[in-house]
Structures are given as C-alpha cells and as structure tokens.
Amino acid sequence: MIATTYKQAITQGLADALAEDDSVFLFGEDVAAAGGVFKATEGLRERFGDTRVLDTPISEQAIVGAAIGAALMGLRPIAEIMFADFAGVCFDGLANQLAKYRYMTGGQASLPVTVRMANGSPGGFGAQHSQSGENWFLNIPGLKIVVPGTPADAYDLIRAAIRDPDPVLYYEHKGLYNIKGPLRAAADARAEIGCAELVRQGGHVTVVATQLMRHRAVEATQVLAGEGIEVELIDLRTLVPLDLDAVLASIERTNHLVVVQESSFGGSWGATLVAAVLEQAFEILDAPPLVVRGDETPIAYAANLESAWLPDSQRIAEAIRRTVAY
Amino acid sequence: MTSRTGIAPGADGELSIDDRLALLRRMLEIRFFEDEVQRLFTKGLVRGTTHLGQGQEAVPVGVCAALRDGDTMTCTYRGHGAVLAMGAPLDEAFGEILGRANGLCRGKGGSMHLTDLRVGALGSYAIVGAHLPITVGAALAARYTKSGAVGVAFFGEGSTNIGAFHEALNLAGIWRLPAVFVCENNLYGEYSPYASTTPVDTIAERAASYGMPGVRIDGNDVEQVRATAIEAVERARSGDGPTLLEAMTYRQVGHSRSDPAKYRPEGELEQWLERDPIVVYERVLSEAGVDADALASIRASAEEEVAAALERAAASPEPELGSRLEDVYAS
Ligand SMILES: Cc1ncc(C[n+]2csc(CCOP(=O)(O)OP(=O)(O)O)c2C)c(N)n1
Ligand SMILES: [Mg+2]
C-alpha cells in the first residue's frame, strides 16, 4: 500500500463518497475555489463541479441549518465548519436541531449530515483556534462523534460518517494533517463508527488515547517497554457511540487504566470513560484510573505555556509508571 | 480636548500641519510594526499565524483620531493597526505577538487577541462577528452610565454575512446607541472575493435595514476617513444613534501567512499599491508644502521607534510557566 497523508486520506474519502453517491455534496467557507483553509478539499470542485462543492459566506448558522434542511429532503450533506472552535457560533443548529430532530419527530426522518471540523493544539493559534471541540458535544444524545488519529482511520471514518444515517461530527486533528500511513486495502478491515482499535498489546496497563495523544502515547509506550512496563494501547476512534467493551476487555487483562486526552478534565470524554469503567469494572482495577490531561485553563498562546498545557510523552509515561506502581 | 491620537478633534477645525504629520506618523508606525511582524513570522518567532493589514492603515488611524479618552474600540484578528491607533504601546504589542511576559496579555492572547483596556482597546476578536454585539454592550453601558463615550467596532466586509452582525446592528439601531460600526471593505474575506459572498453592491446599504445611516468612503484617504468618523462619532455622542461606515481599502498581503493570495486578478495589487494610503498622504502633504526632508525624518523616526520597541520586547522573558494557571477566574 502506498502511504498517504492524513489530509490526503480525507480528500480521497470525500472524493470517493462524492463519486459513489450523487446525493452527497460538500459545502463551507472557502472549501471550493480555494480547496479549504487546510487544503483538505483541494481539487474537489474541479472534479465534481460547483453544484456539488460549494463555497459559502461566513455564516455557520446558515451552513448547519442548510445541511439539516437538505438532509431532510434526502441529500447527504457534508458541511465544513473549519476550526472546531467555530462550532460555538452554530451550537444551536448542532445541539438542538441536528441532534434532536429524529427523536422529537418520533423517528420520521434521519439526518445523514456529516460536519467536518478541525481540532487541536499545539499550533500556536491561541485560545479560540486550538480546542478539542468533541468534548462540547458529549452530553447531547443524537450526535455521533468520530476522532480519527491515522490516515487509514481518517479515510475509513469519513466514508463511514457520510454513509451513516445519523448526524456525525467528524473531527480532523490539525497537528496530524501531514502524518503518513497506509490506507486499508480490504473493505472488511475498515474502521467502523463505534469500534476502537487495539494499537498495541501489553499486559500491565491499559492506555486509552485519541488523535495527537495516541501518537504521544505510542512514544511513551516505547520508553516504558525499555523499563519492562508493557502497555496495551487503545485508540477509541469514536467517542459516541463509545466502544466500552473494548476498554473493559483490556482492563480485564491489565487491571490498570490511564486515559490521555487533549483537553481539561471537567465534562471530557476521559472523565466520561473513567466513570463508565468504574460503574462496570470497579473490582477489577488494581489502581485508581488516571486521566492525563490539560490544565483547567484555556490554551495560552506563548510557546512554553501551550506546551506545558498539552500532555507530552514524558508526562504520559510518568502517569503510567505511577499507576502501575500503585 | 485632544483625541486619542493627540490630534485636535472637531469637524470644523482645520487640521494643523502638526496634526497632519501626526496622522502620517501613526500610519507609518503601524506599517513598520506590521512589516516587522511579517519578518518575525518568517523567522519562526510568531506562532500559529498572523493577519496583517498593510494598506489599510488609514482606516484605524483616521477613525481613532476622531475618538477621545473614554471611548472604546473593538476589532478583529487583523487588528494590530486599530489597537496601536488607540495608543497601545508598541513594545507591549510586539511582546504579545512574540509570546513574552511583557506582552499586552502576558503572552496568553497572541497576535489575534491584542487587547489594552488602558487605552479603550476592548479586544481583538478571532471569531468572526463576535465583537459586534460586545460593542453594542459597551455603547449601552456608556448610555447607562451617562459617560458620553462612544463605542467603535472595526470588522471586515466578509463579517457582515454572519448572524451576529445583523443582531448587533439591529439592536444598536433600535436602542439608538452611541456606536460606530466601521467596515473595512478590503475586497476579500479569506480567499473569497466580496461579490462571491455578498449579494448587495455595498455594505453601506445594509444600514437601511437597521435604521441607521450607511456611508461608503475612500478608506485609503486618512483625512476623509477622519472627517466622516468625526461626524459619525458626534452623531453617536449626541444621542442620534449609530452609523455604519464602509471604508473601501485593500490588504496588500494575503489573508494570513499561509496565503500567497493567488486568487487576486492580475494588476489589482499594483493598482492598489499606487493608492497606498501612506504614499497618497505623503503626496498630499508634500503638495501642501511639507518638504521632502521633513517627510523623510518622520519616516526615519517612526522606523527607529518601532525598532527600539521590538528590541525591548525581544529582551522580555518568556512568561513564567506557572502563569498559565493564573487569570482564569478573578477569585
Ligand atoms: C465564526 C468564524 N468563522 C470563520 C472564521 C475564519 N475566518 C477568519 S477571517 C475570515 C474572513 C473574514 O473576512 P472579512 O470579514 O472580510 O475580514 P478581513 O479578514 O478581510 O479583514 C474567516 C472566514 C472565523 N475566524 N470565525
Ligand atoms: Mg475582508
């Protein structure tokens, strides 16, 4: 398999979905003529034309609303909201309209909307362009949330999101756009929504991470292997629905849990996961679960402050050592 | 009474030569400041990205010359010029962009968020449209406290397509608040030409929906900007309500540092470079009898001041690591 970048994997996934299904179309700010602020939609307008790949004004509320309306009429819109932080501007559309339509109408319709957003630190973009936005939507049943961390998952999950009958928030990590990796050849090996990946097997401790933190956790596991600590690493890939079974099965083997996340603690997916694990598997844990996370602050601009905020492989390794030694 | 920029306000009062030189000088400081920021970015000393406004200086300088102490200003991520035009210190502005402890926001905000409450600069906002309702609040407070202050907001033409713009202008209109909304129409929102996202010919005509006057002006003519702003500010201060100004201008550089601005039609930049607000104003002053030496020495002293400010900023340390935990709450 030829290696592609995470960004190319997204572009290819979008292109394949557009080619496969006429009801799929894509729109957002500067996604068409300019190929996207992050260049993830480059070439799509040239290939699919400007009725299927559309630029919009700076109007996030209208973008989300229009996606809902078009989906109700049988289309499969892909809306881009650029930086995940901008979801604040169209929060009602996402949280009250998109998420609840099917339920409130007694299941009369489903809304196959995909909303693409770019997540994450540490680019030096400051407090309003660096957040991990998935945590904002965890408490809103009706939305599925995917957080791919590799090119293969980026491809598979954008395809799965577009095919899914329900609304899916698809988070791309800005810090991963240029990482390379192979795509999956066999269709039956593809990542599916709601299915975690066992990245590495190990008997001492279960570590759960996503996106950039998955990669930093991999670095930590390599250091720890040299110290005789064998980490079992799980990348959730989807936050809603949560693949709790995969995590519980691993904890059965390791009896220890460390979660690594790129956000503060309160209301986060890591906190949610720990709560769910404690509910179901309190007795099999040999140590309190630990969540390695950002401080309870916004993300600062200055380089040293931003990197102190974001967990790095040393902090992750330290937390794992402490948990194992408990 | 002098304005924020030390230039005598008053629509009727003729500008003295000193006033005119002060306007020029402020534009030059902003230009040199942003040229430096561009160099610093290339050297990897500015993080993330930065949005520069070379070519647009006459708008903030002209408008802020119409303000007085106590008036307030909000602007966008492309707001270095506006914050400096309010009188924020050059070295602390550099410090913020370099992420240093002496920065306006202690290194926590960055280029997109320059804020200096000491001079009424209520913030640079990176979420399009976010500051327009905030300006309405500042104007509401001015009326509530009878302070006589006026609130000004700068924003791009692309921002007039977001909901917050319409809600803010409507509210300011219905409450006849002391606000001035200054649209810097630089023809592009990111990479999109303005006609491709905006179905009306002028932004000024949007004012009609909100019961306020809308005026389109040459945003590269600093004296015209100032004169129009004085009228709008006086109207606001006297209780006659808000105004929407549309200042036609041009950003001579890309949207952000990753943008080579290839979407510009050929020749467009060159045409606008001829109408560079600083070049134009130097010509005006020279025709008014200011000799070339005087103009050259203003340039040189502005450049020196900017260089000295950068040196001070660069000498400032990184913020202390523990400071990242401060400032989340007041108590
Ligand atoms: C709510 C929101 N949507 C999108 C963006 C991304 N964005 C930043 S600047 C910009 C263009 C703004 O254009 P305009 O208002 O004309 O201002 P200019 O940049 O030309 O000064 C966009 C779309 C944003 N920052 N906030
Ligand atoms: Mg613009």
Side-chain angles (χ1 to χ4, degrees):
Chain A
M1 272 260 72
I2 325 153
T4 60
T5 66
Y6 182 88
K7 186 191 300 190
Q8 286 163 343
I10 295 166
T11 316
Q12 191 180 326
L14 294 169
D16 291 350
L18 284 159
E20 188 178 279
D21 181 350
D22 280 346
S23 67
V24 173
F25 73 102
L26 184 153
F27 67 135
E29 295 159 24
D30 282 317
V31 297
V37 163
F38 304 107
K39 300 282 174 248
T41 51
E42 203 149 48
L44 296 180
R45 191 194 55 173
E46 289 71 12
R47 183 161 161 208
F48 296 100
D50 54 13
T51 51
R52 304 202 50 208
V53 181
L54 294 86
D55 279 323
T56 68
I58 311 172
S59 305
E60 287 80 6
Q61 294 189 69
I63 293 170
V64 171
I68 296 171
L72 262 180
M73 295 295 109
L75 300 183
R76 299 186 103 79
I78 308 167
E80 178 182 308
I81 300 295
M82 208 186 300
F83 286 80
D85 315 67
F86 305 163
V89 174
C90 48
F91 200 81
D92 178 70
L94 296 169
N96 279 324
Q97 314 310 332
L98 182 60
K100 299 178 174 58
Y101 189 93
R102 178 173 172 78
Y103 188 80
M104 286 168 61
T105 60
Q108 292 181 53
S110 59
L111 295 178
V113 172
T114 302
V115 182
R116 292 179 43 236
M117 294 181 262
N119 238 1
S121 181
F125 285 94
Q128 298 176 347
H129 285 70
S130 305
Q131 297 167 90
S132 290
E134 67 272 29
N135 294 293
W136 297 359
F137 295 99
L138 290 172
N139 201 15
I140 301 170
L143 299 173
K144 295 179 180 173
I145 303 179
V146 298
V147 285
T150 63
D153 288 347
Y155 179 86
D156 292 351
L157 291 173
I158 193 69
R159 296 300 308 274
I162 297 166
R163 231 183 289 120
D164 200 274
D166 290 311
V168 180
L169 307 186
Y170 179 93
Y171 286 93
E172 304 164 15
H173 197 291
K174 300 194 286 290
L176 299 180
Y177 275 132
N178 295 321
I179 63 161
K180 282 194 165 172
L183 300 189
R184 294 185 180 92
D188 59 358
R190 295 255 159 90
E192 288 297 335
I193 291 176
C195 184
E197 180 189 14
L198 185 58
V199 179
R200 181 188 195 277
Q201 287 180 305
H204 297 131
V205 53
T206 300
V207 173
V208 182
T210 62
Q211 300 206 308
L212 180 64
M213 291 301 109
R214 166 202 168 128
H215 297 276
R216 294 195 169 182
V218 167
E219 289 169 31
T221 63
Q222 286 157 0
V223 173
L224 292 168
E227 300 169 16
I229 299 176
E230 290 304 332
V231 171
E232 182 139 303
L233 179 60
I234 292 176
D235 179 348
L236 286 175
R237 305 193 288 197
T238 301
L239 299 177
V240 181
L242 182 66
D243 192 353
L244 188 58
D245 288 347
V247 178
L248 292 174
S250 173
I251 298 173
E252 293 271 356
R253 296 188 286 271
T254 65
N255 311 104
H256 293 83
L257 173 64
V258 173
V259 179
V260 191
Q261 67 180 18
E262 188 179 330
S263 86
S264 51
F265 185 68
S268 65
W269 68 261
T272 305
L273 177 65
V274 165
V277 166
L278 288 179
E279 260 186 359
Q280 306 231 353
F282 179 71
E283 306 80 12
I284 59 169
L285 283 168
D286 288 346
L290 238 169
V291 180
V292 188
R293 69 245 194 179
D295 303 310
E296 298 295 311
T297 73
I299 300 171
Y301 166 76
N304 65 334
L305 301 189
E306 184 176 20
S307 52
W309 183 90
L310 192 64
D312 60 15
S313 60
Q314 280 176 18
R315 251 169 80 193
I316 298 167
E318 198 36 52
I320 294 171
R321 282 186 202 107
R322 248 191 307 152
T323 303
V324 173
Y326 180 82
Chain B
M1 174 108 48
T2 55
S3 72
R4 285 236 47 89
T5 36
I7 298 155
D12 38 354
E14 280 274 292
L15 280 167
S16 71
I17 276 291
D18 283 350
D19 289 340
R20 300 177 98 182
L21 293 178
L23 290 172
L24 174 65
R25 159 110 197 187
R26 189 64 98 185
M27 288 199 290
L28 284 166
E29 281 170 15
I30 295 170
R31 173 69 55 89
F32 290 133
F33 180 92
E34 292 215 294
D35 288 349
E36 274 308 344
V37 172
Q38 195 160 347
R39 278 192 282 276
L40 293 168
F41 185 86
T42 313
K43 287 191 207 156
L45 296 171
V46 178
R47 309 194 66 225
T49 191
T50 186
H51 307 79
L52 302 172
Q54 287 105 328
Q56 302 186 194
E57 295 88 348
V59 186
V61 170
V63 170
C64 295
L67 302 181
R68 66 184 198 206
D69 281 346
D71 291 342
T72 64
M73 185 283 299
T74 63
C75 59
T76 72
Y77 48 85
R78 199 183 306 291
H80 305 157
V83 174
L84 294 173
M86 289 297 282
L90 288 161
D91 52 358
E92 294 175 35
F94 271 133
E96 190 56 35
I97 292 170
L98 291 170
R100 299 301 167 88
N102 89 326
L104 287 171
C105 308
R106 309 175 73 202
K108 287 179 175 156
S111 159
M112 294 200 277
H113 300 294
L114 301 185
T115 300
D116 189 352
L117 294 183
R118 297 167 300 186
V119 298
L122 304 190
S124 304
Y125 294 79
I127 303 293
V128 164
H131 57 306
L132 300 172
I134 293 172
T135 299
V136 171
L140 177 64
R143 191 165 69 193
Y144 190 95
T145 61
K146 303 192 172 59
S147 69
V150 171
V152 170
F154 293 99
F155 50 94
E157 83 298 331
S159 316
T160 69
N161 294 319
I162 204 159
F165 166 84
H166 299 275
E167 294 192 24
L169 268 73
N170 189 66
L171 190 54
I174 195 75
W175 285 348
R176 298 182 74 74
L177 292 174
V180 180
F181 298 97
V182 184
C183 175
E184 296 182 67
N185 187 341
N186 61 9
L187 311 189
Y188 295 92
E190 276 180 6
Y191 323 129
S192 294
Y194 136 74
S196 75
T197 56
T198 311
V200 286
D201 289 337
T202 70
I203 299 300
E205 67 199 79
R206 293 193 148 169
S209 304
Y210 307 115
M212 65 179 80
V215 191
R216 183 183 253 203
I217 56 173
D218 177 357
N220 282 14
D221 173 347
V222 70
E223 291 192 11
Q224 189 186 341
V225 172
R226 176 181 168 276
T228 324
I230 286 172
E231 272 177 49
V233 166
E234 284 186 351
R235 194 182 123 80
R237 225 186 284 288
S238 63
D240 290 337
T243 301
L244 173 61
L245 299 185
E246 179 186 16
M248 300 307 295
T249 184
Y250 194 73
R251 68 166 152 73
Q252 296 171 357
V253 294
H255 165 71
S256 66
R257 291 321 83 218
S258 57
D259 172 23
K262 294 230 176 74
Y263 44 80
R264 293 195 287 223
E266 213 175 306
E268 185 181 83
L269 172 63
E270 290 69 23
Q271 266 179 12
W272 279 93
L273 284 175
E274 281 174 25
R275 294 181 51 198
D276 180 298
I278 295 176
V279 173
V280 166
Y281 201 43
E282 283 179 334
R283 198 179 307 134
V284 167
L285 293 181
S286 135
E287 279 161 15
V290 179
D291 64 40
D293 284 353
L295 291 176
S297 91
I298 287 190
R299 246 180 200 269
S301 89
E303 198 163 12
E304 267 164 41
E305 186 172 341
V306 168
L310 175 55
E311 224 168 278
R312 286 193 297 280
S316 169
E318 286 190 319
E320 304 246 356
L321 275 187
S323 73
R324 76 183 189 284
L325 304 175
E326 298 165 2
D327 303 325
V328 182
Y329 301 103
S331 73

